[in-house]
Amino acid sequence: MCLPAARPRLADLVGIGLSLTCLVHCLALPLLILLAPALSRWIALPEGVHAAILLLALPAASIAMTDGWRHHRRLVPGILAAMGLGLLVLGLSAHEGWIAVTDPAASDQLLTSAGALSLAAAHLFNWRWRHRAAGVKLGA
């Protein structure tokens, strides 16, 4: 059962999970494909995976950052989340060819990886500061 107070915490956890999934997709999968070209036929992901991850990350970040702001009143998580989402949009744009770049694949990987790291950091800061504001000890 997902209680109203648990939704923002769940949104942070989903955001962290999606960011890590994004990093694995952007860094590990291309490396695996480079190391084992024969596997690329079975590992290939659908073209819409980038857009789907972005469509899931946007509401998760919005819910989590809004609730975090209400509790801790810090701008850093929201700024990092906005930067991360912006970089993810640029990565998707490079991947789809909507923006002119000299190397679309490298630009996609660089922008998406930076966006995922920024978004994961935003969720981690948000989660930690929300728990501190609520008086919850971490690591106890």
Side-chain angles (χ1 to χ4, degrees), residues 109-128:
Q109 289 176 354
L110 178 66
L111 291 166
T112 304
S113 296
L117 284 171
S118 178
L119 201 50
H123 283 291
L124 287 170
F125 282 129
N126 194 50
W127 185 46
R128 183 177 178 108

Side-chain angles (χ1 to χ4, degrees), residues 30-69:
L31 181 61
L32 182 63
I33 290 172
L34 283 174
L35 295 176
L39 295 176
S40 65
R41 285 186 214 146
W42 296 292
I43 297 175
L45 296 173
E47 278 299 311
V49 84
H50 289 93
I53 290 173
L54 184 59
L55 288 175
L56 291 171
L58 184 60
S62 298
I63 292 167
M65 297 307 136
T66 300
D67 185 72
W69 168 255

Side-chain angles (χ1 to χ4, degrees), residues 3-85:
L3 300 174
R7 285 187 190 141
R9 181 177 35 226
L10 179 63
D12 274 330
L13 292 175
V14 168
I16 291 168
L18 287 171
S19 296
L20 293 176
T21 301
C22 190
L23 279 175
V24 168
H25 168 69
C26 291
L27 300 177
L29 188 60
L31 181 61
L32 182 63
I33 290 172
L34 283 174
L35 295 176
L39 295 176
S40 65
R41 285 186 214 146
W42 296 292
I43 297 175
L45 296 173
E47 278 299 311
V49 84
H50 289 93
I53 290 173
L54 184 59
L55 288 175
L56 291 171
L58 184 60
S62 298
I63 292 167
M65 297 307 136
T66 300
D67 185 72
W69 168 255
R70 287 187 191 125
H71 285 87
H72 55 67
R73 299 282 189 210
R74 295 185 185 218
L75 289 174
V76 171
I79 291 169
L80 284 172
M83 285 176 24
L85 290 168

Side-chain angles (χ1 to χ4, degrees), residues 128 130-138:
R128 183 177 178 108
R130 183 177 31 238
H131 284 282
R132 279 187 179 171
V136 176
K137 284 189 174 183
L138 296 175

